[in-house]
Amino acid sequence: MSQQPTHSHKHDHGHAHEHAAIRGHAHGGSCCASDQPAPPATVRLSATASADARLSRFRIEQMDCPTEQTLIQNRLGKLAGVEALEFNLINRVLGVRHSLAADDVIIEAIAGLGMSAEPLDAQGQASPEAPAPVRKPWWPLALSGVAAVASEIAHFSGLAPSWLIAGLALLAIASGGLTTYKKGWIALKHRNLNINALMSIAVTGAVLIGQWPEAAMVMFLFTVAELIEARSLSRARNAIGGLLQLTPEQATVRQADGQWLELDARKIALDAVVRVRPGERIALDGEVVSGQSSVDQAAITGESLPVEKAVGDKLFAGTINQAGALEYRVTALASNSTLARIIHAVEQAQGARAPTQRFVDNFSRVYTPAVFALALAVAVLPPLFMAGAWFDWIYRALVLLVVACPCALVISTPVTIVSGLAAAARKGILIKGGVYLEGGHKLDFLALDKTGTLTHGKPVQTDFVPLDPAYAATAEQIAASLAARSDHPVSQAIARPALEAGEALLEVADFQALAGRGVSGSVNGQLYHLGNHRLVEELGLCSPQLEAQLDVLERQGKSVVLLLDASGPLAFFAVADTLKDSSREAIAQLHALGIKTLMLTGDNPHTASAIAAQVGIDQARGNLLPADKLQAIEELYAQGHRVGMVGDGINDAPALARAELGFAMAAAGTDTAIETADVALMDDDLRKIPTFVRLSRQTRSILMQNIVLALVIKAVFLAMTFAGVATMWMAVFADMGVSLLVVFNGLRLLRK
């Protein structure tokens, strides 16, 4: 609290650069090799960057899993001029950094993989002339089902001729499985054994050994399961995108002649004045210029209660005006509103693979070829060396191919992570990647800044004690003049009485901020210091009598700031900050979760202890400079703790960056906080941190459930396959059934 920088104590660009640099150093490595995410998932194809390289984005409807990513990466990697690829699988968006003359070359290359690439503009929107996605007709799948069932009935009845059974089976495969065959053939051409390739091989093998009805039923069941799975994935995909629908397309704007006109919100310029009636949604970010009302901000901050708004207060796009009419000045374009930035940040976070997801992807790359080799061995070795029947062992090999497909494993992690990110965003918690969502369950120690985090950050002056009463007025005026030059909350509290009274301030020359100690400057040619106890000691101007006076106030939990000249202290001011109502409850919830707490502040140790006692914090340290806060985090790491840090200012940047998880306070409307924090709390409510920890633990639990579920069920069916009990249609149920189970299990997070 006694740290007084010249810059804002909120997240600014200095914080951004420092945070990013330190965090990069602390974690290091690439997306695939460490916990450092690269949102979205970026693949570099060229070591050098071309000066004329540009980024083109495409929506590829067929790209929604690592299988398609691998195909695209291998295909575009052969094109000269393509330098890097950015994959956002959940939103089916591909970014290509290239120096090609036109995008047509990329579109044609992707078309060669059986996929369609739709160019997007800088805002991620498709061209108005682009054809709308064509919905597939339902009747081919229905025909496939009818033909497959008819083939099974004809086979079991024993009355139908074999040509009829085969004809019905071929009709079922052709009407329901041509897409699978096409994808499978493309994958095989590119030496990629994905689920479509495995299924195509299995169905073809069943046909070749005369298992017509089973081949037909396998293809039909697989197509149905794929359809259900796609619909389920769409729910996760749309969880964040649906937020865009919160902003109205039109807004009422004041014209130059004073008239009000309905305009497209995307075309409204900065500083335009917009009117919003009671009950309407706010179309753009802005600042109230007229009126008073209450606004439901749940979509942005997760607050359950409406927030009162008056002149000068911020408004966020997508929130709901409730009581009275408001007029506000637009402060951000539609494409750059807080809501738009939240959506963009979460979309980027989806591209950063969490540790579990990276493990699963790497596992499947080894697992799938191994399974194919095992199936080949099962088909060939027993008949050659164990006198086994070719038909039986080839059939078991085909069943093995279907059962062992890693589809459920691969798809379980991204669905769970995206559901967790979306659930957090709905609660006003912006998580910058799956690595942070999954890593939250490890936290066992949380360090917290005091001012603006545990307290409101708007302290008020409670005491003024002039050490020479004859110069009381002069000392107060000099102190206010120095304090007005700093925007630290303590300085503002000292300057506020003079500013509100309209008193004239003195001119300050050679103003200087002394990090963690105070400020200094010359007034009328005389150098003065305004700072904390640490500064007094550094200047060698402390005395036992002064110590005793300060001790009385500091034991009351107040921060003491002294005005000094070359001869010694002239006066001191006591400033007190008020605790947030939510702080005590948040600390209690953290303790209930088994997380210990430590307060790190620049305030004196007495104030730190008093505030810590009021809130229930385990440990408190005062008189800390930014480097001291960093050292405190390092000490906790050395003791084996997994540490998080909560802060709201540039003085917290080193500690925030070094902590395993950095939580930024007061992120609503602050660009840099959203850009740099691991987790940004969209309001000042600390209770969102225990909510985040619970969500992280739940996400981790579901991820483990999905992996165990997929592996155990596959192991059971593999054993049944070797025993000769499992059939091909049972194998489809085993594979796609598990896929659907893990998808639905992951989607549970959206209902919490």
Side-chain angles (χ1 to χ4, degrees), residues 172-520:
I173 293 169
S175 56
L178 285 182
T179 301
T180 300
Y181 265 111
K182 183 180 178 182
K183 291 180 178 178
W185 172 242
I186 291 170
L188 288 172
K189 277 201 307 181
H190 291 84
R191 295 185 295 279
N192 190 292
L193 289 171
N194 61 23
I195 178 61
N196 295 297
L198 295 180
M199 194 59 62
S200 299
I201 293 170
V203 171
T204 303
V207 167
L208 292 176
I209 63 175
Q211 293 292 309
W212 296 100
E214 199 149 0
M217 189 58 72
V218 163
M219 186 59 79
F220 169 69
L221 291 174
F222 174 74
T223 307
V224 169
E226 287 255 287
L227 181 64
I228 296 172
E229 188 177 275
R231 296 282 173 86
S232 303
L233 283 172
S234 292
R235 183 180 171 195
R237 185 175 291 113
N238 297 331
I240 288 297
L243 288 173
L244 282 173
Q245 300 173 4
L246 295 176
T247 54
E249 295 181 358
Q250 303 282 321
T252 307
V253 185
R254 188 169 67 195
Q255 304 301 297
D257 59 1
Q259 298 295 314
W260 295 91
L261 186 65
E262 290 275 333
L263 295 178
D264 186 336
R266 292 173 297 180
K267 297 179 180 178
I268 297 175
L270 291 175
D271 294 324
V273 176
V274 177
R275 182 172 65 191
V276 57
R277 301 178 184 86
E280 288 184 342
R281 284 193 181 273
I282 294 165
L284 299 152
D285 283 7
E287 184 178 293
V288 178
V289 295
S290 175
Q292 189 169 349
S293 182
S294 57
V295 175
D296 180 355
Q297 295 188 162
I300 300 294
T301 65
E303 291 169 290
S304 57
L305 296 176
V307 178
E308 294 299 319
K309 299 289 183 180
V311 174
D313 289 336
K314 289 183 178 180
L315 298 176
F316 303 111
T319 58
I320 304 172
N321 181 31
Q322 293 194 325
L326 291 173
E327 293 179 14
Y328 64 93
R329 179 179 60 82
V330 175
T331 56
L333 299 176
S335 60
N336 196 41
S337 68
T338 300
L339 181 60
R341 293 199 310 275
I342 291 171
I343 294 167
H344 178 64
V346 177
E347 285 178 348
Q348 283 192 313
Q350 293 168 10
R353 282 175 168 71
T356 303
Q357 189 172 351
R358 290 199 298 272
F359 160 75
V360 167
D361 288 347
N362 293 331
F363 174 78
S364 66
R365 275 195 284 272
V366 176
Y367 172 81
T368 306
V371 164
F372 188 80
L374 177 62
L376 194 61
V378 167
V380 174
L381 296 182
L384 287 178
F385 301 106
M386 299 166 56
W390 282 96
F391 178 93
D392 290 343
W393 287 102
I394 289 174
Y395 182 80
R396 292 183 192 186
L398 296 175
V399 174
L400 178 64
L401 279 182
V402 179
V403 170
C405 178
C407 194
L409 271 175
V410 170
I411 209 167
S412 66
T413 46
V415 169
T416 304
I417 292 296
V418 171
S419 297
L421 293 172
R426 290 177 178 178
K427 298 175 184 295
I429 305 170
L430 182 59
I431 305 171
K432 295 304 297 292
V435 61
Y436 305 123
L437 173 62
E438 191 178 338
H441 79 280
K442 302 175 185 176
L443 289 185
D444 66 348
F445 226 111
L446 187 69
L448 305 99
D449 176 42
K450 181 176 74 68
T451 307
T453 301
L454 290 163
T455 64
H456 286 101
K458 294 182 179 179
V460 294
Q461 180 180 316
T462 58
D463 300 86
F464 168 56
V465 181
L467 298 180
D468 185 345
Y471 294 97
T474 303
E476 198 164 14
Q477 188 180 27
I478 293 171
S481 301
L482 286 168
R485 294 289 299 274
S486 170
D487 57 3
H488 190 276
V490 172
S491 294
Q492 292 297 304
I494 294 171
R496 192 175 300 121
L499 293 173
E500 290 178 350
E503 296 177 8
L505 298 180
L506 302 173
E507 186 175 343
V508 178
D510 302 322
F511 179 83
Q512 192 175 10
L514 309 171
R517 291 159 293 173
V519 298
S520 67

Side-chain angles (χ1 to χ4, degrees), residues 569-590:
L570 303 176
F572 57 84
F573 304 78
V575 173
D577 197 358
T578 54
L579 279 173
K580 296 175 185 174
D581 295 335
S582 58
S583 294
R584 292 186 186 88
E585 186 180 345
I587 299 302
Q589 289 184 29
L590 287 168

